[in-house]
Amino acid sequence: MERIRGQGQSGCRTGRAAIAPGAKLGHFGRLMRPDILNPYFSALTELSGIGPKLAKPFNRLLGRPEGARTLDLLFHLPSSTTDRRIRPTIAEAVPGETVTLEVVVDQHRATPRGARSPHRVLVHDESGDLTLVFFKAEGGYVERLLPVGETRWLSGRIELYDGMRQMVHPERVLDAAGFARLPPVEPVYPLVEGLGQGHVRRALSAAVGLAAPLPEWQAPGRVAGQPTFLAALRAVHNPAEPSDATPLGPAWRRLAYDELLAGQLALAMVRASTVRGTGRPSRGDGRLTGRLRAALPFSLTAAQEGALAAITADLGSDSRMLRLLQGDVGSGKTVVALLAATVVVEAGRQAALMAPTEILARQHLKTIAPLAAAAGLRVGLLTGREKGRAREQILAALADGTLDLVIGTHALFQEGVAFRDLALAIVDEQHRFGVHQRLALAAKGEAVDVLVMTATPIPRTLVLTYFGDMDSSELREKPAGRTPIDTRAVPSERIGDVVTRLGAALEEGRRAYWICPLVEESETSDLAAAEARFEDLRHFFGERVGLVHGKMKGAEKDAAMAAFAAGETRLLVATTVVEVGVDVPEASIMVIEHAERFGLAQLHQLRGRVGRGSIASTCLLLYRAPLGEVARLRLQALRESEDGFFLAEQDLKLRGEGDVLGTRQSGFPGFRLARPELHGALLEEARAEATAILADDPGLTGPRGPALRALLHLFERDVAVKLLGAG
Ligand code: ADP
Ligand code: MG
């Protein structure tokens, strides 16, 4: 157990002291978005050239199914650049590098009608020959693009194929006039199906053209020599040099810093409002916890005792608790949480445990109910599925204090849910909830203590990014009696052997999970589909195979899980819905299909579903060869270690390397510009600055106030800020 300290720690304390007593933060609740930001929040379809048809793929690209705004596009940063000043001859071009070539067109070898072979074009320069390859070339398009005998400028990547130089689908083909108009350095953007580089570049040049200058929110001392926010946006999207569009270049760093500052400012305000005023100490007398401990079939590990002691001390103190309980899957967080809840019940108050899914909430209830009964705790369940009379009864019991502990989902912080005296909010698997949800639950009582449990240990930088300055307890030690999991990577061609061995294991009475990444067979994706796989495996193993996936109704899911827990089904085909928290100790085999597509943390979580009982467990990582470098390292790390804290650090490192290798798929949730693995130092600076800002001007009413408020809106941290006003 240790306190997470940043460099800004001492400053932070000052900041807190300055904010705590009666700071006027309430007016943020009514804060409207400043008009200067309107151009940033206009619908994407207002940009010239983006109609309803193009808007669809853009919404997908930008992860805004409900309709992207201009700002979403502006924050879509390049994955690389093409530098057209790199102009080798064909012979000099290094295979794999993007180059620009000046060539003369010699000959077309068109695709015969109906044939599947590509359309090839032979070109040359004074150093040698090159073949251009076009798939699905139709209607004479390639012939018009590359007339025989003419000179053309091509950008793209040269590859060696059977010892011949070729370029598949050149990125650009231009004549002399077109080439002259081209910027020397061009950004290259991540794409989705239905969009080309041209679409994204055109849309961005329109968006950058409309972006308005904003007041400077950074400290005067910091801005010297730095581009303004708008200049940085312009530079990233219209780079003069490749370094203008790389994460470590000055423009991108400026934007990343702004995003981090907004995040840290919001977190610091949340923190200030959480610790604002004094807490209400909850001190137990050991009556109920004694009974609960006696009812446990095991004794707590030293790590569990340590965490519990820290939590009990927090609960008993007169400031509010804001603590993370970090522990690997199976490290025994639930019982620690239950004991913490019991302490506040002893003090005559109530506790709530919020889980991210229905399955998990029910699972918690199942484990907790018998122990709670032994201790004399009254426990209830509240999820979206409790309706009508059942729901009313629970609500009444919470309001009059008949219930001591309620377990549930998001439903817990909805309107109409009132407690007699909520003292402790426990939030399980926090990374699925946002800061504002945590706050909304804490707002259900007076000076509620908050305990956040994460099953994926989070490296310190990320803790700071997402949670700000929180106390942390770690369960590094696993409960005794766990057997290590034999983890192996198996190429997908050997799936037949895997099925055969699985059959033998099922005969012996063992239970297994089979994880597939997608639910329905989709044309655009070759991911193994759970339903199809379920049919396959049923064909081999009959009624012993069950299925659970994210699109099932709650009751169906529960039934499938219950059948597996009871041993009626022995092989459970599942999408990643089993990822979080499900506990079937008898399960001892985990097969993960397309393991190369999962992140390390997610693989570790999935594997954690087995190895919970006394039987030696196996985890098979089926992968499709050839493996990329990062995927290979990921699977290797997983084979070598079961320590979630170690794997979390590796994950962060590999994401960083993935970036360097250009294989990065997506950023961290909640951040679009900043990359915690690359911008860690900026994060520390942003933390310190956020602290200093609030110490100086807690209500953001000073001269920098309007600019800082615009910053919070721009990065959409106003949600947390609004809740501040409400809570
Ligand atoms: P987590 O929520 O951290 O993933 P759980 O709380 O679900 O882990 O605990 C996993 C399993 O370990 C449960 O079956 C629980 O009963 C058991 N367990 C918890 N603490 C201990 C302990 N000290 N000794 C033995 N078993 C334990
Ligand atoms: Mg758990």
Side-chain angles (χ1 to χ4, degrees):
M1 167 202 66
E2 80 183 276
R3 207 181 150 73
I4 298 173
R5 275 174 199 282
Q7 287 159 359
Q9 185 68 31
S10 56
C12 198
R13 291 222 173 270
T14 326
R16 235 180 272 160
I19 299 161
K24 287 198 203 102
L25 291 163
H27 61 280
F28 283 116
R30 295 178 296 280
L31 194 72
M32 299 294 289
R33 184 166 67 219
D35 287 345
I36 41 165
L37 292 178
N38 289 349
Y40 289 89
F41 284 86
S42 61
L44 208 57
T45 42
E46 284 177 26
L47 295 179
S48 71
I50 300 191
K53 205 168 151 223
L54 259 188
K56 270 192 197 153
F58 267 110
N59 291 344
R60 240 185 316 120
L61 176 72
L62 302 172
R64 294 267 170 196
E66 73 286 0
R69 292 94 24 106
T70 302
L71 122 143
D72 300 315
L73 182 63
L74 288 168
F75 289 169
H76 185 63
L77 302 189
S79 50
S80 64
T81 50
T82 304
D83 188 343
R84 285 180 221 292
R85 295 165 304 186
I86 302 177
R87 297 265 309 274
T89 61
I90 290 176
E92 286 163 352
V94 178
E97 263 179 27
T98 300
V99 293
T100 299
L101 303 168
E102 181 182 345
V103 300
V104 176
V105 182
D106 296 322
Q107 191 190 351
H108 283 256
R109 292 191 185 146
T111 314
R113 267 185 102 74
R116 282 179 160 251
S117 58
H119 182 124
R120 293 175 204 278
V121 186
L122 308 186
V123 302
H124 78 271
D125 68 7
E126 75 281 358
S127 75
D129 298 331
L130 173 70
T131 306
L132 309 180
V133 180
F134 295 85
F135 293 95
K136 292 192 185 160
E138 275 149 21
Y141 162 74
V142 182
E143 282 87 346
R144 284 194 298 279
L145 197 63
L146 291 153
V148 172
E150 302 276 316
T151 298
R152 286 292 178 270
W153 282 260
L154 315 170
S155 290
R157 236 195 290 265
I158 287 203
E159 308 163 1
L160 286 177
Y161 185 78
D162 273 349
M164 305 278 288
R165 286 190 168 76
Q166 69 170 34
M167 185 184 280
V168 179
H169 287 252
E171 204 188 290
R172 289 253 191 211
V173 178
L174 294 167
D175 58 16
F179 185 65
R181 280 197 302 269
L182 216 55
V185 178
E186 253 192 325
V188 178
Y189 293 98
L191 297 175
V192 293
E193 214 174 300
L195 287 181
Q197 289 298 339
H199 293 118
V200 179
R201 284 178 189 148
R202 275 191 298 277
L204 264 162
S205 86
V208 169
L210 290 182
L214 297 175
E216 183 55 74
W217 44 71
Q218 288 198 14
R222 204 177 185 286
V223 275
Q226 271 207 73
T228 62
F229 174 76
L230 183 57
L233 271 184
R234 288 193 176 132
V236 171
H237 292 297
N238 301 309
E241 290 296 328
S243 65
D244 288 335
T246 53
L248 293 176
W252 194 316
R253 280 170 55 89
R254 152 91 214 210
L255 299 175
Y257 184 80
D258 289 341
E259 183 175 44
L260 291 168
L261 180 61
Q264 290 301 307
L265 204 50
L267 278 173
M269 294 166 104
V270 168
R271 170 91 201 186
S273 86
T274 312
V275 299
R276 183 173 33 168
T278 44
R280 297 175 56 208
S282 299
R283 289 194 194 94
D285 53 16
R287 201 166 30 94
L288 302 177
T289 47
R291 278 198 249 162
L292 178 51
R293 281 170 178 271
L296 289 175
F298 47 75
S299 48
L300 297 190
T301 63
Q304 285 170 315
E305 291 288 5
L308 190 61
I311 294 167
T312 310
D314 286 352
L315 292 173
S317 88
D318 55 11
S319 56
R320 286 176 71 176
M321 172 169 80
L322 199 51
R323 181 174 287 276
L324 268 181
L325 177 59
Q326 302 201 64
D328 239 332
V329 208
S331 60
K333 296 182 293 294
T334 315
V335 68
V336 173
L338 179 58
L339 279 160
T342 310
V343 170
V344 306
V345 175
E346 281 177 355
R349 307 177 65 197
Q350 292 167 298
L353 168 56
M354 180 163 76
T357 64
E358 182 96 31
I359 291 189
L360 246 187
R362 285 174 195 278
Q363 178 112 45
H364 276 315
L365 182 72
K366 213 180 100 202
T367 349
I368 285 174
L371 294 171
L377 237 61
R378 295 158 301 182
V379 182
L381 180 73
L382 185 66
T383 72
R385 272 166 64 199
E386 273 64 49
K387 299 235 162 71
R389 260 188 69 75
R391 179 179 151 86
E392 269 155 38
Q393 276 174 355
I394 296 275
L395 291 185
L398 279 178
D400 69 13
T402 322
L403 273 186
D404 299 313
L405 169 63
V406 64
I407 298 171
T409 55
H410 301 78
L412 284 177
F413 58 76
Q414 278 159 10
E415 244 172 86
V417 181
F419 291 78
R420 191 180 64 82
D421 186 6
L422 179 66
L424 173 63
I426 304 166
V427 183
D428 192 9
E429 319 286 4
Q430 162 68 21
H431 55 292
R432 304 228 161 179
F433 291 111
V435 171
H436 52 290
Q437 287 154 318
R438 187 167 83 211
L439 277 180
L441 183 58
K444 292 282 180 189
E446 193 188 323
V448 175
D449 285 317
V450 177
L451 180 68
V452 174
M453 304 198 287
T454 72
T456 311
I458 306 169
R460 185 176 159 281
T461 12
L462 293 190
V463 170
L464 294 177
T465 317
Y466 296 124
F467 302 100
D469 190 21
M470 278 180 98
D471 296 311
S472 171
S473 297
E474 296 171 0
L475 301 181
R476 281 189 175 241
E477 173 193 8
K478 297 251 167 88
R482 297 285 152 81
T483 45
I485 301 168
D486 180 13
T487 302
R488 299 175 188 205
V490 181
S492 53
E493 298 86 70
R494 284 181 39 212
I495 194 166
D497 298 348
V498 170
V499 170
T500 309
R501 278 194 286 159
L502 194 58
L506 295 181
E507 282 303 325
E508 288 169 19
R510 295 178 66 180
R511 268 177 252 178
Y513 293 101
W514 186 295
I515 308 294
C516 318
L518 261 194
V519 181
E520 280 159 4
E521 198 85 71
S522 78
E523 290 169 3
T524 49
S525 164
D526 62 349
L527 286 177
E531 270 161 357
R533 189 55 83 211
F534 169 67
E535 292 303 327
D536 282 355
L537 291 167
R538 269 235 152 165
H539 174 73
F540 286 102
F541 306 128
E543 298 294 305
R544 287 175 294 178
V545 186
L547 173 67
V548 61
H549 61 66
K551 288 196 183 158
M552 278 179 163
K553 295 236 162 53
E556 283 178 280
K557 258 189 234 176
D558 291 352
M561 289 309 306
F564 184 62
E568 288 155 27
T569 54
R570 306 197 152 269
L571 176 60
L572 186 64
V573 178
T575 55
T576 50
V577 286
V578 302
E579 182 194 340
V580 197
V582 169
D583 195 8
V584 180
E586 294 84 0
S588 62
I589 300 172
M590 168 66 65
V591 181
I592 304 174
E593 266 195 85
H594 279 300
E596 78 281 3
R597 305 208 170 181
F598 290 94
L600 191 48
Q602 203 178 11
L603 288 170
H604 176 59
Q605 278 262 6
L606 285 167
R607 178 175 59 178
R609 300 304 115 211
V610 298
R612 302 193 138 203
S614 48
I615 323 161
S617 293
T618 308
C619 175
L620 298 178
L621 306 167
L622 284 177
Y623 66 88
R624 176 166 300 176
L627 274 182
E629 182 60 6
V630 172
R632 190 184 66 75
L633 290 171
R634 240 191 254 137
L635 299 190
Q636 184 183 328
L638 207 68
R639 286 206 317 272
E640 286 169 3
S641 175
E642 273 185 61
D643 176 354
F645 289 90
F646 168 78
L647 290 173
E649 298 287 349
Q650 286 306 104
D651 197 22
L652 191 61
K653 249 172 57 192
L654 288 180
R655 284 171 193 242
E657 282 173 31
D659 218 27
V660 173
L661 298 173
T663 55
R664 176 190 197 86
Q665 295 285 313
S666 60
F668 286 78
F671 285 85
R672 300 195 267 185
L673 312 175
R675 308 256 170 104
E677 75 280 13
L678 295 174
H679 298 131
L682 289 181
L683 174 66
E684 297 289 349
E685 280 179 53
R687 248 164 73 72
E689 184 168 357
T691 305
I693 289 169
L694 291 182
D696 192 44
D697 180 14
L700 299 188
T701 50
R704 264 170 91 194
L708 286 164
R709 272 181 255 140
L711 173 72
L712 287 168
H713 279 284
L714 188 65
F715 287 99
E716 296 171 89
R717 304 292 157 160
D718 49 317
V719 183
V721 176
K722 272 179 194 138
L723 265 158
L724 267 182

